[in-house]
Amino acid sequence: MPSLLNPDRPPVFCPGCSHERIVKALDRTFQAMGLSGDGVVLVSDIGCSGLFDTFFHTHAFHGLHGRALTYATGIKMVRPDLHVVVTMGDGGLGIGGAHVLSTCRRNIDLTLLVLNNFNYGMTGGQCSATTPREAQVGSGFLNRLEQPLDVCRLAEVAGAGFVARASTYDKELVGIMERAVAHPGFSVVDIHGICPGRYTRRNRIGPADIEAGLRRLPPLTEAAPDERKTEYATAYREEAARLAPPPPPARIKARLSPVGEARQEIVLLGSAGQRIVTAGELLCLAGAAAGLNATQKNDYPITVMRGHSVSELILSAEPVGYTGIRKPTAVVALAPEGVARKRGLLADLPEDALLLHAAGVEVPETRGSVRSVDFRAMGIKSPDWALASLAVLARENRVLSPEMLQAALELRFRGTVREAALSVVHKVLDPEGGKPTP
Amino acid sequence: MSFSLMEGNEAIGRGAIRAGCSFFAGYPITPATTIYNTMLELLPPSGGVCMQGEDEIASIGFCLGASMAGAKVMTATSGPGISLYSEQISFAIGSEIPIVIVDVQRLGPSTGSATKGADGDIQFLRWGNSGGLPVVVLAPVDVADCYALTVHAFNLAEICRCPVFIAANKEISMTRETVDLDAVDLPPVVERTPAPEGAPFLPFGTKPGRNVPGFLPIGGSRLVRQTSSTHGTDGYITTDPERIAQNQERLMRKVSEAVDAAPLFDWRPAQGAETLLIAYGVTARAAGAAVRALAQEGTAVSLLTLKSLWPVPERLIRDKARDCRRVVVVEMNLGQYVREVQRILPGMEVSFFGQMNGELISPHQIRKVLRHA
Ligand code: SF4
């Protein structure tokens, strides 16, 4: 195959820079693999290594510092057939550490070449994630205080399928890169080199020191690529193929009559675990089954099993604008946590409003008519009180009718859950009766 | 007619699918998480991709890569995530990568209140990028808007090749509402304009008289270059001041012109009204109720609900304000968009009402303001 180098744009690195050798080695890698430019994407980030994409006749994506793996992942997920090669310096490795770690864990079929020259070349030779403690760099004493990172050991434990180290001067470099690009999973090659522009001015190292340094590192445990690890994009498609598309959103026909003309504003006050939000949803569905517009505005803290749960519901023949409630037609109080959130609203209740509260849940003085319901005595447990309250309202054709509630349960629940819900409703509507007929 | 019951976030997800979105990536954050949940349910079974990034920066990065590979992409977050997106947003602006970004606003600053609504990011969305070039921001009022504006957002992202934001709010996104989906007015879906065949491909070259470069996906037979660096039409770095200036001005122009041509809004004029009320987002619902109640008392107030917030529909606002004596702007923050209204209506009395306490502004409050306006 012909070279993929761009003859119009020869490398512009400082004389003696390792990057230039790696550009040529990468081109030989592509040639050896018989790749054509339209099948390769070079993704690069910021720094001297970020110039790589400009030297090649391939697809190119040059982005932000340390984020190259994120773009490469997006490209690969859309086009799994492409060879996506990411170049990154030790700077990008440090700032994009979370992406390196996560890409290893995903084992997506990308190749990461870390052009590791132990410092930030472009900005003046500051210390990076791989700077040795004893090095003299542009960050004063700071590098003496931080441990250099061995990206290969990190990549190994994080799950990369292929991990290798190499010297820029290694005769095997092309062979290693070839195996990395060919590997069907995430491959990381940590390529140590020198930066004459910055680093070696104060740290006299040459190719022999680079190789000696590599020999001093603890050996990698997985010399052979691990082909058994599942590749992310492939596994993703396999998993996705097993999924059935969800049904379209239910279209609810208005087949019942509402209980009256007036707009209904209902507030459910409870605590986490009382299925306040589900009851609110049921009320909306009941409204929709009677052709009413409905809104449900919820308020609960970020904790899941503790704290208040408040649902404000509006049912109206007209479209609903403002979703807040100031003058409710009915309030259901099922837990002190909920009541505490709406003391002002309760104190200000209109005279014709109904305040329904579970026996034992204290409510403030109010002008509305207050009704206590002893759910416990009816054999109904706290998580079902909100649903049972809807049944209490339905029994009196306030807010909703028993038929509307029945329709809502049919829209919302299936199977045993529906049966359980129906039996709660039945305990309210027909306390003396026998078992409900589902 | 039939109703579906859904929250705004689900409607945004369904709107995205309707617009042809095939790639979503996000990082969980209240109150935007249910968009991610919706996309995870809808995309993979239909051959699309929904991913969870290791952070917000990765999530939007996946989207930018996928968009350049030819997919229609969306991500969703809240204020804290927009902060982390910022550098990638600047990239998408400067390098003309189509993307829809949903900001389900919650009460800030910072981590603020995860489950309280606000419209506190309105200036942030516009200016939270380096370079200050324009973006498109649309603000839904209700669940039907969440559905329709998402389709508009994708269309605008394709037309302008730029990030398009949906400035939602916890109070719309997590509020359930009945909606007749079949009655929602949707625009026809727009596809990305490909670069002309034959001519050598310049990734950032535009045809004469056009503001937006034709697109080719990474991975096709013609090589594509994408770069976050200051570039010429060929996608290579340039330092030529003239070429740089031309490109920047084109980036500015292409967005302004596209929105100026057809801003999205709702207009409820009142006969003889001396006051124009301007609102957007969830507050427009209370504004509508307030204006109706005032009309019953015999006070006429016109209501302009803006759905295109950025670029500011200046001609529209000037036009609607022409016959009024004063303008009142209400918003769920301590005064952000009102600055734009004041800027484009010099000499006119423009007053403001807002609050930032996690509560909706009520019709009652707006009525009080209008009575004393
Ligand atoms: S500064 Fe260092 S890394 Fe950059 S081109 Fe020069 S030698 Fe190479």
Side-chain angles (χ1 to χ4, degrees):
Chain A
M1 283 303 271
S3 161
L4 295 185
L5 286 175
N6 182 349
D8 300 333
R9 295 184 179 267
V12 290
F13 300 113
C14 302
C17 175
S18 293
H19 291 0
E20 189 155 338
R21 293 180 80 102
I22 300 171
V23 166
K24 291 182 181 139
L26 184 58
D27 184 44
R28 286 204 297 282
T29 304
F30 292 149
Q31 287 182 59
M33 298 180 77
L35 300 179
S36 62
D38 60 359
V40 175
V41 193
L42 270 180
V43 185
S44 68
D45 72 336
I46 299 299
C48 300
S49 69
L51 297 168
F52 258 58
D53 58 275
T54 60
F55 308 131
F56 287 88
H57 262 321
T58 63
H59 290 287
F61 193 115
H62 169 82
L64 309 179
H65 197 28
R67 316 301 170 199
L69 285 170
T70 70
Y71 316 124
T73 299
I75 293 168
K76 188 73 185 180
M77 289 304 286
V78 175
R79 289 293 305 273
D81 54 315
L82 298 173
H83 290 280
V84 184
V85 177
V86 178
T87 60
M88 181 187 285
D90 36 305
L93 171 73
I95 191 175
H99 313 310
V100 175
L101 200 62
S102 300
T103 314
C104 291
R105 291 180 49 238
R106 269 180 216 114
N107 192 37
I108 185 165
D109 185 14
L110 310 172
T111 303
L112 171 62
L113 307 179
V114 181
L115 277 54
N116 186 352
N117 58 15
F118 319 110
N119 79 140
Y120 289 66
M122 199 174 254
T123 51
Q126 294 82 4
C127 62
S128 76
T130 64
T131 308
R133 296 178 100 141
E134 64 279 10
Q136 295 288 324
V137 289
S139 309
F141 65 89
L142 298 178
N143 63 298
R144 292 207 290 274
L145 310 181
E146 291 179 356
Q147 179 69 29
L149 173 72
D150 180 351
V151 61
C152 289
R153 285 204 291 157
L154 176 86
E156 260 185 358
V157 294
F162 177 95
V163 181
R165 296 188 189 107
S167 157
T168 305
Y169 309 95
D170 194 334
K171 285 191 209 56
E172 295 300 308
L173 181 59
V174 171
I176 293 170
M177 287 203 287
E178 220 184 301
R179 276 161 58 215
V181 175
H183 174 71
F186 188 47
S187 48
V188 180
V189 187
D190 181 18
I191 309 171
H192 290 205
I194 59 170
C195 162
R198 303 287 185 189
Y199 191 75
T200 53
R201 291 186 172 200
R202 285 194 275 178
N203 304 278
R204 291 272 154 223
I205 59 165
D209 304 294
I210 294 283
E211 284 176 9
L214 280 166
R215 278 195 297 275
R216 275 198 300 276
L217 289 171
L220 299 173
T221 49
E222 290 175 37
D226 189 346
E227 309 282 354
R228 291 158 305 170
K229 285 186 179 146
T230 46
E231 193 276 328
Y232 187 88
T234 311
Y236 192 103
R237 279 171 171 75
E238 282 168 11
E239 290 281 345
R242 281 195 280 275
L243 297 171
R251 258 75 171 175
I252 305 162
K253 287 259 174 271
R255 52 186 187 82
L256 301 170
S257 316
V259 293
E261 300 292 302
R263 171 184 167 113
Q264 305 278 354
E265 302 192 355
I266 305 95
V267 182
L268 306 180
L269 305 172
S271 64
Q274 285 190 311
R275 302 179 192 157
I276 297 290
V277 173
T278 307
E281 186 184 356
L282 285 169
L283 193 51
C284 290
L285 291 170
L292 298 174
N293 297 274
T295 60
Q296 179 183 18
K297 169 174 152 60
N298 301 314
D299 177 34
Y300 42 81
I302 42 158
T303 47
V304 180
M305 295 304 290
R306 201 179 281 275
H308 68 276
S309 180
V310 172
S311 196
E312 294 176 61
L313 301 131
I314 300 174
L315 301 184
S316 165
E318 304 300 318
V320 180
Y322 178 62
T323 52
I325 292 178
R326 251 165 52 99
K327 299 275 178 215
T329 45
V331 178
V332 174
L334 302 176
E337 291 93 329
V339 172
R341 303 293 297 186
K342 293 282 178 190
R343 290 209 166 270
L345 178 112
L346 289 172
D348 226 16
L349 223 48
E351 266 168 45
D352 54 355
L354 169 69
L355 170 55
L356 191 79
H357 69 101
V361 173
E362 280 187 41
V363 289
E365 283 287 313
T366 165
R367 284 175 304 156
S369 55
V370 181
R371 182 107 51 82
S372 171
V373 183
D374 192 346
F375 292 114
R376 265 195 201 94
M378 299 163 85
I380 299 170
K381 295 201 174 79
S382 168
D384 289 325
W385 289 1
L387 170 60
S389 304
L390 297 184
V392 171
L393 294 172
R395 189 173 63 195
E396 298 169 20
N397 274 309
R398 271 186 107 121
V399 180
L400 77 171
S401 65
E403 294 75 26
M404 285 165 69
L405 181 56
Q406 173 89 21
L409 292 172
E410 283 167 13
L411 284 163
R412 180 67 175 76
F413 300 127
R414 300 262 170 283
T416 52
V417 184
R418 184 194 287 177
E419 276 169 40
L422 281 170
S423 104
V424 170
V425 169
H426 213 78
K427 280 179 191 159
V428 176
L429 291 182
D430 184 17
E432 311 298 325
K435 283 262 167 201
T437 41
Chain B
M1 194 198 80
S2 65
F3 278 136
S4 299
L5 181 66
M6 65 175 68
E7 59 164 35
N9 279 348
E10 182 182 342
I12 288 171
R14 293 192 180 275
I17 300 293
R18 185 66 191 250
C21 174
S22 63
F23 190 99
F24 177 92
Y27 183 85
I29 180 169
T30 309
T33 307
T34 44
I35 298 177
Y36 163 57
N37 295 347
T38 303
M39 298 313 272
L40 190 55
E41 213 178 307
L42 297 178
L43 277 176
S46 60
V49 172
C50 174
M51 294 185 74
Q52 178 177 321
E54 51 273 19
D55 57 21
E56 282 88 349
I57 300 172
S59 303
I60 186 170
F62 297 166
C63 289
L64 297 186
S67 181
M68 283 311 298
K72 287 189 179 182
V73 303
M74 180 168 86
T75 183
T77 187
S78 189
I82 296 289
S83 302
L84 289 171
Y85 283 180
S86 173
E87 195 187 3
Q88 304 269 36
I89 292 168
S90 308
F91 178 20
I93 294 169
S95 305
E96 308 187 62
I97 309 177
I99 179 171
V100 174
I101 302 170
V102 188
D103 178 12
V104 184
Q105 296 170 92
R106 66 191 219 185
L107 185 67
S110 186
T111 43
S113 305
T115 59
K116 297 282 177 200
D119 283 326
D121 303 346
I122 294 305
Q123 291 282 354
F124 183 38
L125 293 178
R126 166 61 185 85
W127 297 105
N129 66 78
S130 53
L133 290 169
V135 294
V136 179
V137 180
L138 307 179
V141 167
D142 52 23
V143 170
D145 268 356
C146 287
Y147 190 52
L149 289 192
T150 303
V151 180
H152 281 287
F154 273 92
N155 284 354
L156 285 164
E158 295 303 332
I159 292 167
C160 300
R161 282 189 65 175
C162 78
V164 176
F165 292 92
I166 297 171
N169 177 318
K170 177 261 163 183
E171 292 289 355
I172 303 163
S173 276
M174 293 183 68
T175 293
R176 272 201 197 99
E177 189 168 14
T178 45
V179 56
D180 184 354
L181 289 175
D182 308 312
V184 178
D185 193 10
L186 295 178
V189 170
V190 174
E191 301 301 338
R192 215 164 284 183
T193 309
E197 284 180 37
F201 175 54
L202 291 171
F204 300 100
T206 50
K207 283 200 284 193
R210 292 275 324 260
N211 284 334
V212 184
F215 179 89
L216 286 181
I218 280 181
S221 58
R222 297 165 80 188
L223 298 182
V224 173
R225 276 195 58 72
Q226 178 52 283
T227 177
S228 55
S229 299
T230 305
H231 47 262
T233 51
D234 55 4
Y236 289 101
I237 288 181
T238 181
T239 53
D240 175 353
E242 203 175 316
R243 292 174 74 195
I244 294 173
Q246 269 173 8
N247 194 49
Q248 307 277 9
E249 279 153 25
R250 180 178 62 75
L251 293 177
M252 183 106 183
R253 204 168 53 234
K254 68 169 185 179
V255 175
S256 310
E257 286 179 4
V259 173
D260 205 39
L264 299 162
F265 65 96
D266 212 35
W267 173 230
R268 266 197 255 164
Q271 192 92 56
E274 294 201 327
T275 305
L276 167 67
L277 177 61
I278 298 181
Y280 60 87
V282 71
T283 309
R285 303 172 74 127
V291 165
R292 256 195 310 279
L294 281 174
Q296 279 166 8
E297 292 173 13
T299 309
V301 174
S302 296
L303 172 61
L304 175 62
T305 298
L306 295 175
K307 300 188 179 182
S308 296
L309 291 184
W310 300 102
V312 179
E314 302 193 3
R315 273 191 308 151
L316 172 80
I317 294 172
R318 270 194 215 103
D319 183 47
K320 301 304 183 201
R322 190 167 305 128
D323 300 327
C324 295
R325 262 192 344 104
R326 68 179 82 79
V327 176
V328 178
V329 179
V330 286
E331 42 183 340
M332 258 176 105
N333 55 48
L334 297 186
Q336 295 197 13
Y337 204 76
V338 64
R339 301 164 63 94
E340 304 307 316
V341 177
Q342 284 163 338
R343 175 175 63 78
I344 57 181
L345 297 176
M348 181 162 270
E349 181 191 330
V350 177
S351 49
F352 167 75
F353 178 75
Q355 71 181 16
M356 227 177 123
N357 60 359
E359 299 284 316
L360 289 175
I361 296 172
S362 71
H364 182 72
Q365 287 173 296
I366 298 174
R367 238 156 64 204
K368 257 180 27 196
V369 173
L370 290 173
R371 276 204 208 97
H372 298 120

